[in-house]
Amino acid sequence: MPRTKERLALDSARRMLHHGAYSRVVNLLGPLHDAEVANFLAHVPLDDRRRVVRALQPAKLQRVLAVMPSDALAETLADLDDKTLTRLLSGMPRAQAAGVLRSFPDSTRETVLQAMDEASSGAFGELLAYRQGLVGAIMRPDPFALDEELKVSEATDTLRRIQGEVPLYAYVVDERRHLVGVLSFRQLLIASPERRLREIMTPDPISIRPEEPQEEAAALISRYDFVALPVVDEEHRLLGVVAVDDIVDMLQERATDELYKLAGLGTGDRVFAPVLRSVRMRFPWLAVNLATAFLAAAVVALFRTTIEKAAILAAFMTIVAGQGGNAATQTLTVVIRSLAVGELTLSEGLRAVAKESVTNLLLGLGIGVLTGMMAIPYHPSVVFCLVLMTAMIVNMLVAGLSGAAIPLLLRALRIDPALASGVIVTTFTDCCGFGTFLGLATMLLRYLG
Amino acid sequence: MPRTKERLALDSARRMLHHGAYSRVVNLLGPLHDAEVANFLAHVPLDDRRRVVRALQPAKLQRVLAVMPSDALAETLADLDDKTLTRLLSGMPRAQAAGVLRSFPDSTRETVLQAMDEASSGAFGELLAYRQGLVGAIMRPDPFALDEELKVSEATDTLRRIQGEVPLYAYVVDERRHLVGVLSFRQLLIASPERRLREIMTPDPISIRPEEPQEEAAALISRYDFVALPVVDEEHRLLGVVAVDDIVDMLQERATDELYKLAGLGTGDRVFAPVLRSVRMRFPWLAVNLATAFLAAAVVALFRTTIEKAAILAAFMTIVAGQGGNAATQTLTVVIRSLAVGELTLSEGLRAVAKESVTNLLLGLGIGVLTGMMAIPYHPSVVFCLVLMTAMIVNMLVAGLSGAAIPLLLRALRIDPALASGVIVTTFTDCCGFGTFLGLATMLLRYLG
């Protein structure tokens, strides 16, 4: 079984790395599939990776880099000199090289583009013009296209001659390179050699514009079970193609991204990232949270004299605030995920807020009663339990309202809801939870004893 | 542009739905692509969906159901009578029908299987034997296979005759159906008709076993940029194929799933799910959290007399516990995501725990000093600020330790870490945060005044 053999080789390579035996690592990696080597390198510490990269044969290196995930690639190349960089990028598939260039600082990018020949740097310039997240930024330019007037036999001859990357479909264009049809290789294979392409092609294929978001491409590819999607300009001329494997990579990265933003993490933060990088990336978010925590603490401080008189309130106030935070996180996650996969649009926002408010009000009734009952052994006053219950219900309702409204509001203001909603919403439920509970308790203090 | 026209039709259909004009909806949906109709139906309220489904032409319905996302499909079919169900499932691609059957209660599944002819029910039985999450559960059985001794011209003839689903690759097998090679249709197309398949095939293709996890199939497909992956048994006989579009669907569902579990949500909980279903799915998790919140409250209650003497402690204890919770969530998310994408294995667990502990200790030093300084206006005693700082540092270290160790421990015990880690880790950081801060304050109470 080839995969078992590969695994053994990779395990040995990992051990050799620990011992700093870089030339043995290179020998072990030599016979492995390029994709396997790229994946291995992407997951070893950066220093080790750079040493192995320097020791690899240039041709092997170029092939390995071409299939390395883009963030690991950018990291690997970051400290190379401009000349080596230019040479490596020129030998890489263009869409991927553009992705790497996009991640570099402006000055490096300029230097590398200037060192290239004019044709390449022009083509890169066009790709780099598309913002990250747009279809244009992941499309592969110059897809395989055939003229609609060709015969099947002529198409087969053309196909026999092409070098390099294997196309997934043959796109059919008219004399002005307008996209008019698509052909799978199976269709070409079973058609009689004398027929013209326009007679056997599937006409009017689904296509996408380069300015559309990548999610739209993912949705179309997933809905129609395509393996590639043609990209056309405003006049329906064929510009490029988005391949399903780029969509798979994009979805994996996007899922990590969304999860990370909700937890206040930067995308480059990995379990074995250098400690100082993790610290640098996490600190700002914790500092922002600290500032908002002081807000909530200020609310508690307002009720200092009440707490002095009934210190048990301090124990229960955290329960009210905490449950509000949990309920808000549930609502937030549902709303943010629905926005991300396109199930929820801003126009349906009010309906979403209403639904989440009712849901959380009902949850609040249930959790409120439960809390009131669970508190009896700690404080057998009916008024205390009623205060606790009421505060819980109010805070859960606030959790539903703010958990749905705040991400929608941020989206309307074009701020990424996954990034900022969490902090705002939990500050809201904390302040409201402490305020309602301690406020009610203060008003009814004489009945609490 | 065909997509614009489709969008307009769908918008009208949505309006007609609101007015209950189901037959007009069916007329509008008729000319649209099946995948587009399936996607539309998957996102309208369940009642409306069922009405439209009943009104659709049987043939159109069957095609639409075959491309509907599996959870929406199961929901749609849930209230049909067994006879209709059996008929619909028999006409669907087998791997997908098996997925639907898997989601049904045992009794319904048995009834449907018994109503089928023997061959179908046997084939379904085999597919159903694979647990959800394993390759066998999403593989498409009976892939397109060609004998290695065939000539290219004979293979082309065979290909011309096949009906139904279009294969992505031709797999090449020997006389005992062992997988020996793979051919793209492009390879067949450009080869001379007289050659034998074994001469032109790519030998020893990467394959996977049905008992392996689906993530492994996703990783291979994504690493090698395949559009399909053959599934073989222990003797290397070809059993089925996993297609990239099933992987895309799986990744989308998995991303939602992971995000949802971290927030304590069930996968069926959508923004426009019926209120009562959302309530029913969210309540248990909130109730579990409530129970653990009482644990943390009990720790606070231990220090009741301290709080009576210095009520300001109540305001600051929530800051210590809250920051610990935030830091723990960061660590947890990194560790859980790394486990999910296969970047972290249990054998590297100790290294991960060490890295996260050091990271959080450093973060604790930074945040601790910051907190101590920010507290000065509220309580200008040096001892108070030192107590706050120390408790913060200790709790952040605990956050790193427990945030990394608990998901690893759960994984080792074969419990899904995404599901249970959050509750356990935040209970840990809450109790420790309250305990350290109030404990230290109690010991040093006479210096706090």
Side-chain angles (χ1 to χ4, degrees):
Chain A
M1 286 221 166
R3 276 211 293 138
T4 318
K5 236 187 273 167
E6 296 219 317
R7 264 187 211 151
L8 288 175
L10 289 174
D11 283 343
S12 316
R14 206 169 279 121
R15 271 196 307 278
M16 290 299 121
L17 260 191
H18 279 302
H19 296 114
Y22 297 105
S23 61
R24 293 211 49 192
V25 173
V26 168
N27 287 341
L28 280 163
L29 296 181
L32 297 183
H33 192 291
D34 303 329
E36 210 61 75
V37 176
N39 182 57
F40 170 78
L41 286 177
H43 294 132
V44 303
L46 188 54
D47 282 347
D48 286 343
R49 193 192 310 161
R50 285 189 179 143
R51 288 212 182 85
V52 176
V53 160
R54 284 203 202 99
L56 274 178
Q57 302 290 335
K60 174 92 180 169
L61 177 59
Q62 205 131 357
R63 292 199 313 273
V64 165
L65 292 180
V67 290
M68 190 177 273
S70 53
D71 53 342
L73 181 61
E75 217 176 48
T76 311
L77 300 182
D79 77 336
L80 289 178
D81 62 293
D82 296 337
K83 215 176 122 193
T84 319
L85 203 57
T86 310
R87 192 169 44 76
L88 280 171
L89 287 174
S90 305
M92 231 177 260
R94 199 159 282 171
Q96 203 200 2
V100 176
L101 276 172
R102 197 173 277 119
S103 72
F104 284 158
D106 289 352
S107 58
T108 317
R109 195 163 51 225
E110 282 308 308
T111 320
V112 172
L113 282 177
Q114 271 161 20
M116 285 178 179
D117 61 276
E118 220 167 284
S120 307
S121 89
F124 274 120
E126 272 172 42
L127 284 181
L128 288 171
Y130 293 107
R131 255 193 316 117
Q132 213 149 6
L134 297 187
V135 166
I138 50 164
M139 79 174 178
R140 300 177 185 182
D142 308 317
F144 184 65
L146 293 167
D147 192 284
E148 58 177 342
E149 294 303 330
L150 283 183
K151 288 185 187 154
V152 168
S153 56
E154 295 168 318
T156 308
D157 286 340
T158 315
L159 201 54
R160 204 168 273 131
R161 282 194 305 270
I162 59 163
Q163 305 274 328
E165 218 176 340
V166 181
L168 295 162
Y169 295 112
Y171 292 105
V172 184
V173 291
D174 65 14
E175 74 285 358
R176 291 170 55 214
R177 211 178 157 82
H178 291 135
L179 177 68
V180 294
V182 62
L183 276 171
S184 72
F185 295 113
R186 177 173 168 270
Q187 279 172 303
L188 271 179
L189 185 65
I190 65 179
S192 97
E194 285 310 302
R195 299 193 71 183
R196 303 210 176 261
L197 299 188
R198 77 175 136 65
E199 300 165 357
I200 62 158
M201 71 187 186
T202 308
D204 295 325
I206 303 267
S207 60
I208 196 164
R209 295 277 297 278
E211 310 84 15
E212 292 198 66
Q214 289 168 13
E215 279 85 357
E216 181 65 21
L220 286 172
I221 281 188
S222 150
R223 195 173 309 156
Y224 291 100
D225 295 347
F226 289 147
V227 295
L229 188 66
V231 184
V232 296
D233 68 11
E234 68 275 20
E235 287 172 39
H236 219 65
R237 272 188 303 248
L238 185 63
L239 288 179
V241 64
V242 176
V244 68
D245 45 270
D246 294 327
I247 292 293
V248 168
D249 296 345
M250 186 275 274
L251 289 176
Q252 293 267 44
E253 279 168 29
R254 207 55 66 92
T256 303
D257 205 44
E258 206 179 322
L259 206 61
Y260 271 31
K261 277 181 186 159
L262 277 172
L265 290 162
T267 35
D269 203 339
R270 289 284 135 72
V271 66
F272 291 127
V275 166
L276 285 181
R277 198 208 305 168
S278 292
V279 170
R280 217 171 41 237
M281 295 185 93
R282 295 183 199 178
F283 190 82
W285 193 79
L286 289 174
V288 170
N289 262 290
L290 183 61
T292 64
F294 266 81
L295 261 182
V299 173
V300 177
L302 284 179
F303 299 98
R304 212 197 285 215
T305 45
T306 309
I307 294 173
E308 265 163 27
K309 285 171 200 146
I312 190 72
L313 291 175
F316 284 91
M317 69 182 200
T318 61
I319 296 183
V320 176
Q323 283 298 87
N326 287 333
T329 304
Q330 290 182 325
T331 292
L332 206 62
T333 306
V334 169
V335 170
I336 286 177
R337 187 67 192 156
S338 301
L339 282 171
V341 301
E343 280 180 17
L344 174 63
T345 56
L346 281 182
S347 61
E348 299 163 306
L350 271 185
R351 218 179 114 216
V353 173
K355 186 254 165 170
E356 288 299 321
S357 301
V358 175
T359 302
N360 278 282
L361 181 61
L362 292 178
L363 284 168
L365 286 169
I367 292 291
V369 171
L370 204 58
T371 316
M373 277 163 32
M374 285 170 78
I376 294 174
Y378 296 87
H379 197 290
S381 130
V382 178
V383 178
F384 179 87
C385 292
L386 282 177
V387 165
L388 187 58
M389 221 165 75
T390 313
M392 185 66 94
I393 294 167
V394 171
N395 202 32
M396 295 281 280
L397 178 60
V398 168
L401 256 167
S402 60
I406 288 173
L408 287 165
L409 209 69
L410 290 174
R411 167 58 66 96
L413 297 171
R414 292 168 184 278
I415 300 170
D416 182 352
L419 197 62
S421 297
V423 181
I424 304 180
V425 171
T426 49
T427 308
F428 226 81
T429 51
D430 269 1
C431 292
C432 174
F434 292 142
T436 330
F437 179 61
L438 296 176
L440 277 174
T442 306
M443 276 165 22
L444 300 169
L445 195 57
R446 73 193 109 154
Y447 307 106
L448 291 183
Chain B
M1 285 222 167
R3 277 211 294 135
T4 317
K5 237 187 276 170
E6 295 220 318
R7 265 186 211 151
L8 288 176
L10 289 174
D11 283 344
S12 315
R14 207 169 279 121
R15 272 196 305 279
M16 291 299 122
L17 261 191
H18 279 303
H19 296 114
Y22 298 104
S23 62
R24 292 210 49 191
V25 174
V26 168
N27 287 340
L28 281 163
L29 296 180
L32 298 183
H33 192 292
D34 302 330
E36 210 59 77
V37 177
N39 182 57
F40 170 78
L41 287 177
H43 294 130
V44 303
L46 189 54
D47 282 346
D48 286 342
R49 194 192 310 161
R50 285 189 179 142
R51 287 212 183 85
V52 176
V53 160
R54 285 205 201 97
L56 275 177
Q57 300 291 336
K60 173 92 180 170
L61 177 60
Q62 205 131 359
R63 293 199 312 273
V64 166
L65 292 180
V67 289
M68 190 178 272
S70 53
D71 53 342
L73 181 62
E75 216 176 49
T76 311
L77 300 181
D79 78 335
L80 289 178
D81 61 292
D82 295 338
K83 216 178 122 193
T84 319
L85 203 56
T86 310
R87 191 170 43 77
L88 280 171
L89 287 174
S90 304
M92 230 177 259
R94 199 159 284 172
Q96 203 200 3
V100 175
L101 276 172
R102 197 173 276 119
S103 73
F104 284 159
D106 290 352
S107 58
T108 316
R109 194 161 53 224
E110 281 309 308
T111 320
V112 172
L113 282 177
Q114 271 162 20
M116 284 177 179
D117 60 276
E118 220 168 284
S120 307
S121 90
F124 274 120
E126 272 171 42
L127 284 181
L128 288 171
Y130 293 107
R131 255 193 315 117
Q132 214 151 7
L134 297 187
V135 166
I138 50 164
M139 78 175 178
R140 301 177 184 181
D142 308 318
F144 184 65
L146 294 166
D147 192 283
E148 58 177 340
E149 295 302 329
L150 282 184
K151 287 184 188 153
V152 169
S153 57
E154 294 168 319
T156 308
D157 286 341
T158 314
L159 200 54
R160 205 168 273 132
R161 281 194 306 270
I162 60 164
Q163 305 275 328
E165 218 178 339
V166 181
L168 295 162
Y169 295 113
Y171 293 106
V172 185
V173 292
D174 66 13
E175 76 286 359
R176 291 169 56 213
R177 212 177 157 82
H178 292 134
L179 176 68
V180 293
V182 62
L183 276 170
S184 72
F185 294 113
R186 177 173 167 270
Q187 279 172 302
L188 272 178
L189 185 63
I190 65 179
S192 98
E194 285 309 301
R195 300 193 71 184
R196 301 209 179 262
L197 298 189
R198 77 175 136 65
E199 299 163 358
I200 62 158
M201 71 187 186
T202 307
D204 295 325
I206 302 266
S207 60
I208 196 164
R209 296 277 297 278
E211 311 84 14
E212 293 198 64
Q214 289 168 13
E215 279 86 357
E216 181 64 22
L220 286 172
I221 280 188
S222 149
R223 196 174 309 156
Y224 292 100
D225 294 347
F226 290 147
V227 294
L229 188 66
V231 184
V232 297
D233 67 11
E234 68 276 19
E235 288 174 38
H236 219 66
R237 272 188 303 248
L238 185 63
L239 287 179
V241 65
V242 176
V244 68
D245 45 271
D246 294 327
I247 292 293
V248 169
D249 294 346
M250 187 275 276
L251 289 176
Q252 294 266 43
E253 279 168 29
R254 204 57 64 92
T256 303
D257 205 44
E258 207 178 320
L259 206 61
Y260 271 31
K261 277 181 185 159
L262 277 172
L265 290 162
T267 35
D269 204 338
R270 289 283 133 73
V271 66
F272 292 127
V275 166
L276 285 181
R277 198 211 301 169
S278 292
V279 169
R280 216 170 44 237
M281 295 185 92
R282 294 183 199 178
F283 189 83
W285 193 78
L286 289 173
V288 170
N289 262 290
L290 183 61
T292 63
F294 266 80
L295 262 182
V299 173
V300 177
L302 284 179
F303 299 99
R304 211 197 286 214
T305 46
T306 309
I307 294 174
E308 265 163 26
K309 285 173 199 143
I312 190 72
L313 292 175
F316 284 92
M317 70 182 198
T318 62
I319 296 182
V320 177
Q323 282 298 87
N326 287 332
T329 304
Q330 291 182 325
T331 293
L332 206 62
T333 305
V334 169
V335 171
I336 287 177
R337 187 68 192 154
S338 302
L339 281 171
V341 300
E343 280 180 17
L344 174 64
T345 57
L346 281 181
S347 61
E348 299 163 306
L350 271 184
R351 217 178 114 217
V353 173
K355 187 253 165 171
E356 288 299 321
S357 301
V358 175
T359 302
N360 277 282
L361 181 61
L362 292 178
L363 284 169
L365 285 169
I367 292 291
V369 171
L370 204 58
T371 315
M373 278 161 33
M374 284 171 79
I376 294 175
Y378 296 87
H379 198 290
S381 130
V382 178
V383 178
F384 179 87
C385 291
L386 282 176
V387 165
L388 186 58
M389 220 165 77
T390 313
M392 186 66 94
I393 295 167
V394 171
N395 202 31
M396 295 281 280
L397 178 60
V398 168
L401 257 167
S402 61
I406 288 173
L408 287 164
L409 209 69
L410 290 174
R411 166 60 66 98
L413 297 171
R414 291 167 184 279
I415 300 170
D416 182 351
L419 196 62
S421 297
V423 181
I424 305 179
V425 171
T426 49
T427 308
F428 226 81
T429 50
D430 269 1
C431 291
C432 174
F434 293 141
T436 330
F437 180 60
L438 297 175
L440 277 173
T442 306
M443 275 165 24
L444 300 169
L445 194 56
R446 72 193 109 151
Y447 307 106
L448 291 184

